[in-house]
Each structure stands twice: as structure tokens, then as C-alpha cells.
């Protein structure tokens, strides 16, 4: 599932400030470092496709369960304050969207949020990326094709420089920049919990020969020790629709989110199905009680 939200409730003024400060921070603190990296690896002169490197400059902000905002070097206080406000708005939007998904799926309100909870609540963080002009965009991807490992992804992207694409029916489709929109994407965990009713989507970023593309992707994910498994109500529904027992209707594995992330780290740019099969082969013995709705 990929979608673009316009009426998301986050002020345009805040989004404009986030964009301005992010671009200023890149120019002042990251642009020269990226150029130095490109030069050191000889990437300006590559003659064949690069399949083990992404043409991006990034840093990562962690918000939950604990924040690392104060520990990120080179961020001035104004930028820290704005990103804290932005993260708070995105977190609220993520939780609203999870409840809308519950409604669409016929699950009790709060089910998905609580499925993500773990012992310390969800994990939530933001990847701040810039995709600078690339001299060989036909040979180097901005970001290689992948599905996201986690739960709900909310993307605030550049409204002038394109590059994001998703795979639909075997073809790559552009996700056009829309000013002040938030792009919504679902990760592998929601595919498992919804028993495949919602699927994570393969996507990539194409590097551009001119223009610097800003991308601010916030990931609302399960807690590291959350146990992920298909919602029983959706398994019952699938079994009823297919005329078979609930046990035979189960397609997706049960696992601890942290274990999936360890596997994903080495297989991010490969198909998701073998990851699911690998987790099924090492099926966790954790006992799962009903999801508590609070």
C-alpha cells in the first residue's frame, strides 16, 4: 500500500520550516562530506552499475522509546526543536492511521497500536536523507529497491525533485512530488499482522543528474521485543472464506520483531518472501496471549 495524504492536519508552516532547516543543514554540514566520500570512492568515473552502494547522505533521529536528538552532532538548537515538534505531529498521525486501518480490517480500535507495543512501547524514528545530483544516475541508484521492514512509514519528501518509485504489476511507477503531502507506506510487519490483507510494497529512489532531493521518512515500528503474528480474527476470516481450518489458513510466521530486524539487516535489498520463510523455519516459542486493547 502506497498513498499520499494532503489533509493530514500537520501545519504547512511547520512542514516548510522542516524543509528549509533540513536543506540548510545539508548544505552547511553534510554536503562537503558527501562530496569527499564520492571522490574517495571514485564514483564520478564509474563505468558499470554499482549494486552495493546508495547515492544518499543520511542521518537518523530516534524518538521512541528514548530520544537521541540531543546527541546528534551539528544540529543547532532551533533545528532540534523543530524536528521534535515534527516528530510529535507525525507520531499522532501514525496512531490515527493505525486506527483507520483497524476500522478497515474490522479489527477492534487500538489493536494494531497494541500489537506494536512490546514491553517499552513502539520504536519510532526518522531517517533524514538527501539525494544530491548524480553524474551517472543510470549506474547508481539513490536507494536500491526494497520493502521496508517495519510497520508504518510516513514520508515528507521534496516537492520539486522527484525520484521515488514503487513497483506495481511488474512496472516501476513514479510517486510524483506533491507539496505539503505525506506519503504513507506499509512495511513487512503490517503485512504479517494483517495476514496479507495489506502488503508491503517494493520501492526505490532513482538518482537525478540535477537537483538535490530531500526525504524525511519516519518509521513507526513495533518495539524490539514485540511478538508479531497474524491477527487471529483475520485468520478466522481467511479460514472461513477458504473453507479450511484456521491452522491451514496461516501463511505468515510468528516472531520477535528484533529477530526479524537482525535477518533483514543482511537481506534488505532482496525479496521479502524468503525472509518470511526463514522466520517461519525458526518459529519462535514465545507464548502469545490476546492483544490487550487499552
Amino acid at each position: 500500500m502506497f498513498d499520499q495524504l494532503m489533509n493530514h492536519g500537520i501545519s504547512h508552516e511547520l512542514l516548510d520550516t522542516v524543509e528549509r532547516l533540513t536543506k540548510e543543514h545539508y548544505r552547511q554540514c553534510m554536503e562537503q562530506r558527501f562530496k569527499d566520500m564520492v571522490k574517495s570512492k571514485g564514483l564520478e568515473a564509474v563505468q558499470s552499475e554499482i549494486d552495493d552502494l546508495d547515492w544518499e547522505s543520511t542521518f537518523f533521529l530516534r524518538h521512541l522509546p528514548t530520544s537521541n536528538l540531543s546527541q546528534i552532532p551539528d544540529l543547532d538548537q532551533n533545528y532540534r526543536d523543530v524536528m521534535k515538534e515534527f516528530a510529535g505531529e507525525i507520531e499522532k498521525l501514525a496512531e490515527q492511521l493505525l486506527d483507520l486501518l483497524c476500522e478497515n480490517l474490522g479489527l477492534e480500535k487500538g489493536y494494531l497500536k497494541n500489537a506494536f507495543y512490546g514491553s517499552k512501547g513502539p520504536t519510532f524514528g526518522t531517517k533524514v536523507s538527501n539525494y544530491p545530483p548524480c553524474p551517472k544516475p543510470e549506474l547508481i541508484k539513490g536507494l536500491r529497491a526494497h520493502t521496508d521492514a517495519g510497520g508504518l512509514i510516513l514520508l515528507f519528501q521534496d516537492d520539486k525533485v522527484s525520484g521515488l518509485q514503487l513497483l506495481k504489476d511488474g512496472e516501476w511507477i513514479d510517486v510524483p512530488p506533491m507539496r505539503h503531502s505525506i506519503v504513507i507506506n506499509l512495511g513487512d510487519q503490517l503485512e504479517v499482522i494483517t495476514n496479507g490483507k495489506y502488503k508491503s510494497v517494493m520501492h526505490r529512489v532513482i538518482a537525478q543528474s540535477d537537483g538535490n532531493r530531500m526525504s524525511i521518512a519516519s518509521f513507526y515500528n513495533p518495539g524490539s521485543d514485540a511478538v508479531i503474528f497474524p491477527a487471529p480474527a483475520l485468520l478466522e476470516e481467511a479460514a472461513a472464506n477458504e473453507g479450511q481450518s484456521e491452522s491451514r489458513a496461516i501463511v505468515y510466521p510468528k516472531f520477535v520483531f528484533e529477530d526479524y530486524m537482525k535477518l533483514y539487516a543482511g537481506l534488505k535489498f532482496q525479496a521479502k518472501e524468503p525472509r518470511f520463510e526463514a522466520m517461519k523455519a525458526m518459529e519462535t516459542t514465545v507464548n502469545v496471549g490476546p492483544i490487550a486493547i487499552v
Side-chain angles (χ1 to χ4, degrees), residues 167-197:
L167 189 64
K168 180 176 174 60
D169 300 326
E171 295 187 9
W172 287 105
I173 307 296
D174 291 329
V175 180
M178 293 177 62
R179 185 165 175 76
H180 297 139
S181 69
I182 302 292
V183 177
I184 307 301
N185 179 28
L186 305 187
D188 295 346
Q189 307 311 300
L190 278 174
E191 178 167 338
V192 172
I193 296 171
T194 67
N195 198 39
K197 284 213 161 187

Side-chain angles (χ1 to χ4, degrees), residues 65-78:
T66 57
S67 173
N68 70 347
L69 252 176
S70 64
Q71 301 159 24
I72 303 296
D74 304 327
L75 301 187
D76 64 41
Q77 192 57 47
N78 186 33

Side-chain angles (χ1 to χ4, degrees), residues 52-194:
D52 61 353
L53 183 72
D54 300 312
W55 188 269
E56 63 174 355
S57 172
T58 69
F59 65 94
F60 191 82
L61 303 175
R62 186 179 66 247
H63 312 301
L64 295 175
T66 57
S67 173
N68 70 347
L69 252 176
S70 64
Q71 301 159 24
I72 303 296
D74 304 327
L75 301 187
D76 64 41
Q77 192 57 47
N78 186 33
Y79 190 25
R80 291 182 206 274
D81 292 343
V82 166
M83 292 306 288
K84 182 177 181 181
E85 181 182 357
F86 174 74
E89 293 296 314
I90 290 289
E91 182 185 353
K92 285 191 292 186
L93 178 59
E95 293 180 352
Q96 290 169 359
L97 289 169
L98 286 178
D99 278 341
L100 284 174
L101 291 177
C102 285
E103 185 177 339
N104 289 342
L105 291 163
L107 296 174
E108 191 172 354
K109 182 178 180 180
Y111 183 92
L112 291 174
K113 180 181 175 182
N114 285 281
F116 280 26
Y117 219 72
S119 63
K120 299 178 181 177
T123 54
F124 176 48
T126 298
K127 179 185 176 185
V128 181
S129 304
N130 281 270
Y131 298 92
C134 178
K136 299 285 183 68
E138 70 281 5
L139 298 179
I140 309 175
K141 294 289 185 295
L143 180 60
R144 289 162 285 166
H146 64 287
T147 62
D148 289 321
L152 190 63
I153 301 89
L154 302 94
L155 169 68
F156 175 42
Q157 65 168 338
D158 202 289
D159 66 323
K160 298 180 178 66
V161 183
S162 63
L164 179 63
Q165 295 184 328
L166 62 88
L167 189 64
K168 180 176 174 60
D169 300 326
E171 295 187 9
W172 287 105
I173 307 296
D174 291 329
V175 180
M178 293 177 62
R179 185 165 175 76
H180 297 139
S181 69
I182 302 292
V183 177
I184 307 301
N185 179 28
L186 305 187
D188 295 346
Q189 307 311 300
L190 278 174
E191 178 167 338
V192 172
I193 296 171
T194 67

Side-chain angles (χ1 to χ4, degrees), residues 195 232-250:
N195 198 39
L234 299 181
L235 286 178
E236 292 170 8
E237 179 184 316
N241 289 340
E242 296 172 17
Q244 58 187 8
S245 69
E246 182 180 319
S247 61
R248 289 188 61 195
I250 295 174

